[in-house]
Amino acid sequence: MLYSAGAFILGLMGSFHCAGMCGPISMALPVGGLTRDKKILAVLAYHLGRITSYGLIGWAIGWLGLGIRLAGVQQYLSVILGVLLLCFAIMPQRFKNEVERKLGNNPIWKLARQNMAVFFSRRDLSSFFMIGFVNGWLPCGLVYVAVAGALVSFNMLYSILFMMLFGLGTMPLMLALYFTGTYISAGLRARLFKMLPYLVSVFSIVLILRGLNLGIPYLSPDLKEILLSGETMCR
């Protein structure tokens, strides 16, 4: 559970990145003319949609992770993912931007953005939910980091929980920005972006330590014992 709690911390610390990248979408929600209570419900529906999409991603990743566990390579995968994320963290920002740009040009994500525009033309709760749901599937480096963590979780339930806790972690700052009507300035956003590689680096090291199976409680536990206890819990 402590590892899953780390997903919330990842979302909370990374929410400054979310505020810069996804904040404009949240601030542009078509809530003009709605009462205060309906605005609150609309914004919550938007975030519920995001968290639901993250939960579905966790479910899909959980199925993939199950196959990896059955193949007996999860320990090695955790180390590999940790090393790859560490390389990504120290990669120059221009290369990261290029990766996200190329991913964003994927036809599936282009279709997702078009559908989001349709939902912006409506003002019912289901539309706000769908705006958040579609937004949850758009390219985002921070989400990819969370996906790596979910992939090496102990079972499918943990994968779903990991992604949903990550989504919940992004909410406090996003809600605060929305209800105070404040945008993050370009200067502050640039400083926060500089902090993100350090956050990803710490998370990468945690993945590597988990894969090394050092028997250190919480940090690098015995994966065999945990997997056996997880299987017992799921029966």
Side-chain angles (χ1 to χ4, degrees), residues 29-31 34 42 45-46 123-132:
L29 292 175
V31 296
L34 297 180
Y46 164 78
R123 293 162 58 94
D124 54 89
L125 288 180
S126 62
S127 295
F128 290 112
F129 175 89
M130 289 306 301
I131 292 172

Side-chain angles (χ1 to χ4, degrees), residues 193-233:
F193 276 144
K194 290 181 180 179
M195 294 173 55
L196 192 59
Y198 297 101
L199 174 64
V200 175
S201 297
V202 170
F203 189 71
S204 303
I205 292 171
V206 170
L207 286 179
I208 294 171
L209 290 174
R210 281 168 60 81
L212 292 177
N213 200 20
L214 300 176
I216 303 173
Y218 304 116
L219 183 61
S220 183
D222 189 327
L223 294 180
K224 291 182 179 179
E225 292 183 2
I226 293 176
L227 288 173
L228 287 174
S229 63
E231 290 173 1
T232 302
M233 290 173 59

Side-chain angles (χ1 to χ4, degrees), residues 2-168:
L2 185 60
Y3 179 68
S4 296
F8 181 85
I9 297 173
L10 176 66
L12 186 64
M13 297 298 294
S15 60
F16 294 100
H17 169 82
C18 296
M21 299 299 291
C22 305
I25 295 177
S26 176
M27 299 291 285
L29 292 175
V31 296
L34 297 180
T35 64
R36 185 176 183 276
D37 290 343
K38 288 184 177 180
K39 282 184 180 180
I40 293 175
L41 289 175
V43 174
L44 291 178
Y46 164 78
H47 287 290
L48 179 61
R50 282 199 312 117
I51 294 172
T52 300
S53 67
Y54 293 152
L56 286 175
I57 293 172
W59 173 78
I61 290 299
W63 274 112
L64 179 59
L66 177 61
I68 291 170
R69 285 191 293 275
L70 292 175
V73 297
Q74 186 190 34
Q75 178 180 344
Y76 305 102
L77 181 65
S78 184
V79 174
I80 292 170
L81 287 175
V83 172
L84 289 176
L85 285 177
L86 193 58
C87 292
F88 180 77
I90 62 178
M91 182 187 298
Q93 186 61 45
R94 65 178 181 277
F95 293 121
K96 297 179 186 177
N97 294 338
E98 183 65 17
V99 170
E100 290 200 14
R101 184 187 67 80
K102 289 183 177 180
L103 289 172
N105 288 331
N106 185 295
I108 295 177
W109 280 314
K110 285 184 177 180
L111 180 62
R113 286 193 290 267
Q114 291 172 1
N115 288 332
M116 184 182 290
V118 173
F119 295 124
F120 262 97
S121 65
R122 305 172 185 171
R123 293 162 58 94
D124 54 89
L125 288 180
S126 62
S127 295
F128 290 112
F129 175 89
M130 289 306 301
I131 292 172
F133 184 83
V134 173
N135 187 35
W137 294 90
L138 295 179
C140 175
L142 192 63
V143 173
Y144 301 151
V145 175
V147 165
L151 185 58
V152 295
S153 295
F154 303 131
N155 55 49
M156 184 184 298
L157 292 178
Y158 276 111
S159 294
I160 296 172
L161 180 63
F162 190 95
M163 291 302 299
M164 295 187 76
L165 283 175
F166 163 76
L168 283 172

